[in-house]
Amino acid sequence: MTSVKQVQITFDCAKPERVARFWCEVLGYVVPPPPEGFATWDDYTGSLPPEKQDAGFVCGDPTGAGPRLYFQRVPEGKVAKNRVHLDVRVGTGLVGEERLAKLEAECTRLIALGAVRDRVLLADEENESCINMRDIEGNEFCLD
């Protein structure tokens, strides 16, 4: 039996940094330092193409015990899709076919528990493969 140790909580929202900073306050989480070579997150964001600016933001538990929170900009408001979903991180550190095999194995295990597989998103130039699924009540989550 696989033991999952890490999850990332992902929030769909209109203003990622605003929502992230709210949850930092609520949970005592912190914003990580900006990427190497940038003095501030604003400097980093300003270096991105316009369509990528303010598209995502992260924060995390300063002790490392709690899950990482990721906030991604989406154009739509909440209608039917969850605005918060769990990313179950079973493929961390794996790439390509090895990652996909690990995701598929976990998917099979979760289907036996009542989960439903929605679709596989194959790796592209920015993201590794993941599998979109639904829990036993239809709530979306990802095997990542």
Side-chain angles (χ1 to χ4, degrees):
M1 183 157 123
T2 303
S3 176
V4 177
K5 301 288 187 210
Q6 295 181 354
V7 295
Q8 170 177 285
I9 300 172
T10 301
F11 294 73
D12 288 353
C13 54
K15 297 184 178 181
E17 184 174 353
R18 179 175 176 254
V19 178
R21 292 191 183 278
F22 167 79
W23 282 103
C24 282
E25 291 296 320
V26 170
L27 301 173
Y29 272 31
V30 296
V31 173
E36 190 171 328
F38 296 94
T40 67
W41 277 104
D42 286 340
D43 292 343
Y44 171 73
T45 299
S47 74
L48 299 173
E51 68 276 6
K52 301 242 182 213
Q53 292 181 3
D54 303 315
F57 210 79
V58 300
C59 64
D61 180 349
T63 70
R68 178 180 190 242
L69 303 181
Y70 178 72
F71 303 85
Q72 62 187 8
R73 184 180 63 217
V74 296
E76 75 281 354
K78 171 70 170 131
V79 177
K81 180 184 179 291
N82 292 359
R83 288 187 55 90
V84 176
H85 68 268
L86 295 181
D87 284 348
V88 181
R89 315 247 9 240
V90 297
T92 302
L94 302 175
V95 297
E97 293 301 315
E98 184 180 14
R99 178 185 178 85
L100 200 50
K102 179 77 170 183
L103 296 176
E104 290 289 356
E106 185 67 1
C107 180
T108 299
R109 185 179 81 81
L110 297 180
I111 287 171
L113 298 175
V116 175
R117 175 189 181 128
D118 277 343
R119 64 185 169 151
V120 176
L121 298 174
L122 296 176
D124 59 24
E125 57 278 346
E126 292 184 272
N127 300 297
E128 279 297 334
S129 296
C130 68
I131 300 176
N132 291 358
M133 300 187 72
R134 294 179 184 267
D135 69 14
I136 57 175
E137 290 190 356
N139 297 304
E140 298 93 352
F141 69 95
C142 294
L143 291 180
D144 175 32

